[in-house]
């Protein structure tokens, strides 16, 4: 049952791209649960970030799980490359996968767990018929493309409905939230139903206190679960 465990999953989007390997090692040392690679193609979202070779270069440096958040127009094109690069989780956007059932099955065939991300305007109904293939549901609380945006509290009813749907129909599926997650926000996102939290800019505000930032976020979420 995913309902209980809090996971802190940093996005490396705000990390120092000139020292990505060291940044991954610092995140591992700080006690995060996984690392999220924000993959953007400049088409599905108006930003361009990294390819699988960057992820592969960092793979041997840490033992942490990697998740690839594919904000790309054609996620099917390189599914296997992300798994070969060392991602245990590949998250595709429902809006970019017209044959979502086939795409999720392909992620599993490639040897990874499969996630589905939903942009703010996309309803939960986009995944209700493929939940048996969904290991992680990612509810976006910003419009994807850039870090440092404000959390959309209007997504909380959707988060709550997602929590109800997963507890009823797919209790092992993780519910992750991504966008504007910070100390003042994580409690309400937890109360709404999220249990895995992708945070970028809020974690990197004080690079000398990454562990403290991770600890405070986790503690606040756990407090909201009591
Ligand atoms: C949006 C990105 C960001 C990132 C987290 O495209 O996916 O949400 O992961 O960035 P912050 O925590 O700064 O919103």
């Amino acid at each position: 049952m995913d309902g209980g465990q809090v996971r802190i999953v940093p996005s490396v989007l705000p990390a120092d791209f000139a020292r990505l390997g060291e940044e991954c090692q610092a995140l591992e040392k700080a006690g995060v649960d996984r690392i999220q690679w924000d993959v953007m193609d400049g088409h599905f979202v108006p930003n361009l970030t990294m390819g699988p070779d960057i992820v592969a270069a960092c793979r041997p440096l840490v033992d942490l799980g990697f998740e690839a958040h594919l904000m790309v127009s054609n996620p099917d094109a390189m599914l296997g490359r992300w798994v070969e690069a060392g991602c245990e989780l590949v998250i595709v956007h429902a809006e970019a996968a017209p044959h979502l059932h086939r795409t999720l099955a392909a992620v599993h065939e490639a040897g990874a767990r499969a996630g589905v991300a939903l942009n703010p305007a996309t309803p939960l109904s986009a995944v209700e018929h493929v939940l048996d293939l969904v290991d992680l549901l990612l509810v976006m609380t910003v419009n994807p493309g850039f870090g440092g945006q404000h959390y959309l509290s209007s997504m909380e009813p959707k988060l709550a409905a997602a929590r109800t749907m997963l507890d009823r129909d797919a209790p092992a599926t993780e519910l992750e939230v991504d966008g504007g997650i910070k100390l003042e926000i994580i409690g309400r996102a937890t109360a709404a139903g999220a249990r895995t939290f992708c945070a970028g800019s809020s974690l990197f505000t004080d690079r000398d206190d990454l562990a403290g930032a991770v600890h405070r976020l986790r503690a606040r979420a756990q407090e909201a679960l009591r």
Side-chain angles (χ1 to χ4, degrees), residues 9-14 36 38 40 45 47 69 71 93 138 140-151 178-182 198-203:
V9 179
S11 156
V12 291
L13 198 59
Q36 183 183 100
D38 274 320
M40 302 179 190
V45 292
N47 195 357
H69 175 191
M71 291 166 273
H93 268 263
L138 176 58
M140 295 302 296
T141 43
V142 293
N143 289 295
F146 299 92
Q149 300 180 79
H150 291 298
Y151 170 84
D178 178 354
I181 298 298
K182 55 186 179 182
C198 179
S201 42
S202 67
L203 276 182

Side-chain angles (χ1 to χ4, degrees), residues 2-226:
D2 171 59
Q5 184 181 354
V6 168
R7 295 180 181 88
I8 305 295
V9 179
S11 156
V12 291
L13 198 59
D16 179 351
F17 278 28
R19 303 184 308 109
L20 265 183
E22 292 161 58
E23 298 272 69
C24 287
Q25 291 170 325
L27 287 167
E28 183 169 56
K29 195 168 167 216
V32 301
D33 293 285
R34 272 196 309 265
I35 286 178
Q36 183 183 100
W37 297 87
D38 274 320
V39 179
M40 302 179 190
D41 65 357
H43 185 260
F44 181 70
V45 292
N47 195 357
L48 188 59
T49 55
M50 76 271 300
D53 292 345
I54 301 287
V55 176
C58 296
R59 180 63 280 173
L61 303 176
V62 292
D63 294 327
L64 280 174
F66 284 175
E67 63 182 50
H69 175 191
L70 302 184
M71 291 166 273
V72 301
S73 295
N74 182 6
D76 296 287
M78 292 174 63
L79 288 180
R81 293 281 310 279
W82 298 106
V83 182
E84 287 156 22
C87 294
E88 66 180 34
L89 248 170
V90 175
I91 303 167
V92 301
H93 268 263
E95 306 85 0
H99 301 286
L100 184 58
H101 184 281
R102 186 174 67 193
T103 298
L104 295 173
V107 171
H108 288 135
E109 281 154 25
R113 288 189 293 142
V116 181
L118 301 178
N119 283 336
T122 306
L124 288 178
S125 57
V127 296
E128 66 181 342
H129 299 300
V130 292
L131 282 180
D132 59 314
L133 294 174
V134 178
D135 300 300
L136 179 142
L137 177 61
L138 176 58
V139 173
M140 295 302 296
T141 43
V142 293
N143 289 295
F146 299 92
Q149 300 180 79
H150 291 298
Y151 170 84
L152 295 172
S153 56
S154 56
M155 290 300 113
E156 286 172 3
K158 183 170 158 184
L159 266 176
R163 178 78 274 150
T164 301
M165 178 179 72
L166 296 182
D167 287 351
R168 184 188 64 233
D169 303 332
T173 298
E174 277 191 58
L175 180 53
E176 180 171 355
V177 65
D178 178 354
I181 298 298
K182 55 186 179 182
L183 199 54
E184 307 86 274
I185 293 289
I186 196 167
R188 52 188 302 174
T190 307
R195 296 295 180 268
T196 300
F197 304 90
C198 179
S201 42
S202 67
L203 276 182
F204 284 88
T205 43
D206 179 358
R207 275 173 162 69
D208 296 331
D209 188 25
L210 260 180
V214 173
H215 171 75
R216 287 187 293 272
L217 274 180
R218 191 189 306 279
R220 184 66 57 88
Q222 287 167 337
E223 197 181 293
L225 274 179
R226 286 194 200 99

